Amino acid sequence: MSIENDFPEFPYEDPPGWITCRQKPWNGVLVRVDRQSFKAGDKITFDVTVCSDAAGPNPAAKIRGVVSVTADTTSADYTIPWAGVLDAVTEGSITAFYTLTPADGGGPLTSEAAIVDYSRHQLGGT
């Protein structure tokens, strides 16, 4: 089942649609689910793929992160790690979606995917 019209966000995109060295990806990249009603005990599983897009989407790294909701809230965050994930490509894209497993035993709900361009190049091409 799908969470209609919902997708995670990359709150520190700058410029919009991009994660660059300005966001210091070596410290991780934040993915956020916002404006949702999560209940204590819910489990949110983030699925992230980092691609090298030189010749079309070429998955370079995948990771799955689980966030356990400890109190009723309207947002949840996951930080994509640098080592083994973000450091896998110099330029490409990051795609993320999440699956909500409700604490009440209801069936899992999966979001739409969000995508952002990703570049570790600094001004001057380094």
Side-chain angles (χ1 to χ4, degrees):
M1 180 165 252
S2 178
I3 301 171
E4 200 168 311
N5 297 322
D6 186 39
F7 52 90
E9 303 168 1
F10 296 92
Y12 297 110
E13 297 175 33
D14 184 29
W18 282 89
I19 297 294
T20 65
C21 282
R22 286 187 212 173
Q23 290 82 31
K24 300 178 182 173
W26 47 88
N27 293 328
V29 169
L30 185 68
V31 181
R32 175 172 287 151
V33 178
D34 208 7
R35 299 175 303 277
Q36 296 294 316
S37 294
F38 299 118
K39 302 292 182 195
D42 286 352
K43 183 174 76 170
I44 303 162
T45 304
F46 289 87
D47 285 281
V48 177
T49 303
V50 177
C51 292
S52 170
D53 294 342
N58 181 21
K62 291 185 178 191
I63 193 164
R64 177 173 281 170
V66 178
V67 175
S68 295
V69 177
T70 58
D72 292 0
T73 186
T74 59
S75 67
D77 293 342
Y78 172 69
T79 301
I80 304 167
W82 170 258
V85 183
L86 294 169
D87 66 349
V89 300
T90 302
E91 192 160 294
S93 62
I94 303 169
T95 303
F97 69 91
Y98 71 93
T99 302
L100 167 63
T101 305
D104 66 9
L109 304 168
T110 301
S111 75
E112 295 180 35
I115 188 167
V116 66
D117 290 318
Y118 173 66
S119 176
R120 292 176 14 206
H121 290 289
Q122 296 182 15
L123 273 119
T126 59

